[in-house]
Amino acid sequence: MRVIDSHTGGEPTRLILSGGPDLGDGSLADRARRLQEEHKDLCASVLLEPRGHDAMVGALLVPPTDPECVAGVIYFNPVGNLGMCGHATIGTAVSLAHIGRILPGTHLFETPVGRVEVELHDMHRASVVNVESYRLHKDVSVEVPRLGTVTGDVAWGGNWFFLTADTPVALNLENVVQLSAAAQQVRDALATAGITGADGAWIDHVEFTGPAQSAGGHGRNFVLCPGGAYDRSPCGTGTSAKLACLAADGLLTPGQDWRQESIIGSTYLVSYWAGPNGGVIPTVTGEAYVTAQSELVFDPQDPYALGIRG
Ligand code: PYC
């Protein structure tokens, strides 16, 4: 399996160029479902130790159904599929440019949740025009053991998020263990209380939000990802969900810039335009760097060929 590794604002992406499973044809959503149902071990074996680590996100290149798209991409984390992934889209574009498959300019990628446009500005910097994002519920309260009542918004940014301004400790890197534990408790409490995204979808990301810590920043976040790792980047889909909430509250106007900081201090510059269905169309700009080009080996005699799982 040939892969290129990159990071976007510190968050790693492993792009599978070849050697991935044959998912047949059909829509990207169908093929993503097949990846999840028929190739369950792939996510963990590609991303987890000993080949990777739990913060890694995978991006599987597949032929697009839409002839206008330069590629189809299915995103996954160690425990399953992601709908869209902002950092991995920037990482994929920069990785494809690194091997000469695309040039700076505008490219369309097909994802399981819709088409996204990528403007590759140079060999590192790209802007992603994400799928339409929206807030589903405002000020939802949930009782969380040891934390008490936590209130937040449920929003879609290509994945489902619960965004809250209640943060148990300051949004600093030295607090990631407490932040991760608290976010897991919030996520579990949401599931127990039956609070979901549209159509009963699991809210698999929890985003604590707070004030920026750098000059020129507008907000900082901590994002818990489905497998339990935290996003090192400001989370493209999470920031899209945040934009949808800011727009719905009248706190950010179309075209106005918002600089989002991650828990490690990396940043995205984002803005939005009104979407056709009442939500927002976010543009997320960030930088990615290639860290490795390699071939993954899966030796059938290796007791940990399928990854070390908890
Ligand atoms: O950038 O959208 C994102 C993302 C989702 C999970 C990890 N990163």
Side-chain angles (χ1 to χ4, degrees):
M1 182 181 285
R2 273 210 316 130
V3 301
I4 304 190
D5 292 349
S6 62
H7 77 85
T8 309
E11 178 73 355
T13 302
R14 176 160 281 170
L15 174 66
I16 301 177
L17 292 173
S18 62
D22 179 2
L23 300 174
D25 45 24
S27 71
L28 268 269
D30 283 346
R31 282 183 269 169
R33 212 169 299 118
R34 244 170 262 145
L35 174 66
Q36 179 116 342
E37 287 167 6
E38 296 167 20
H39 303 275
K40 270 203 179 82
D41 289 331
L42 180 114
C43 303
S45 63
V46 168
L47 299 180
L48 286 184
E49 295 176 39
R51 280 182 201 82
H53 58 92
D54 66 351
M56 270 195 157
V57 168
L60 174 63
L61 274 190
V62 295
T65 61
D66 179 343
E68 289 188 353
C69 291
V70 69
V73 196
I74 297 172
Y75 302 105
F76 57 95
N77 60 36
V79 297
N81 291 345
L82 288 165
M84 228 305 274
C85 185
H87 92 267
T89 303
I90 297 172
T92 295
V94 165
S95 295
L96 291 177
H98 184 80
I99 56 168
R101 282 215 201 163
I102 62 172
L103 293 170
T106 304
H107 306 280
L108 294 172
F109 288 178
E110 191 173 350
T111 82
V113 295
R115 232 162 70 150
V116 298
E117 185 183 292
V118 178
E119 172 84 38
L120 183 64
H121 302 290
D122 56 33
M123 295 302 275
H124 298 295
R125 195 165 178 78
S127 297
V128 179
V129 181
N130 196 6
V131 295
E132 186 165 358
S133 303
Y134 63 98
R135 179 165 70 188
L136 182 68
H137 300 303
K138 179 178 167 63
D139 288 344
V140 175
S141 291
V142 62
E143 288 307 311
V144 184
R146 289 181 293 282
L147 294 179
T149 306
V150 176
T151 301
D153 293 353
V154 176
W156 170 257
N159 296 297
W160 283 105
F161 288 83
F162 185 73
L163 302 100
T164 172
D166 303 330
T167 172
V169 284
L171 297 180
N172 293 329
L173 190 54
E174 64 264 28
N175 291 335
V176 287
V177 172
Q178 289 129 287
L179 289 164
S180 299
Q184 299 254 21
Q185 286 168 346
V186 171
R187 187 165 64 190
D188 291 349
L190 290 168
T192 304
I195 298 166
T196 67
D199 301 323
W202 178 40
I203 299 173
D204 53 1
H205 293 76
V206 172
E207 180 166 347
F208 294 138
T209 66
Q213 295 181 12
S214 67
H218 298 99
R220 193 178 184 91
N221 67 19
F222 167 88
V223 179
L224 175 75
C225 297
Y230 68 91
D231 198 332
R232 277 69 172 161
S233 81
C235 192
T237 51
T239 301
S240 298
K242 172 75 183 171
L243 282 182
C245 296
L246 289 167
D249 286 332
L251 296 174
L252 197 72
T253 54
Q256 191 181 344
D257 283 341
W258 176 273
R259 191 173 293 278
Q260 182 68 52
E261 294 170 6
S262 73
I263 191 71
I264 71 164
S266 57
T267 59
Y268 286 156
L269 185 64
V270 299
S271 60
Y272 74 90
W273 296 106
N277 303 302
V280 301
I281 305 286
T283 299
V284 178
T285 302
E287 279 180 6
Y289 293 86
V290 169
T291 54
Q293 274 182 267
S294 44
E295 187 172 358
L296 303 185
V297 174
F298 300 85
D299 184 335
Q301 289 184 314
D302 177 355
Y304 297 108
L306 300 183
I308 301 172
R309 305 171 195 208

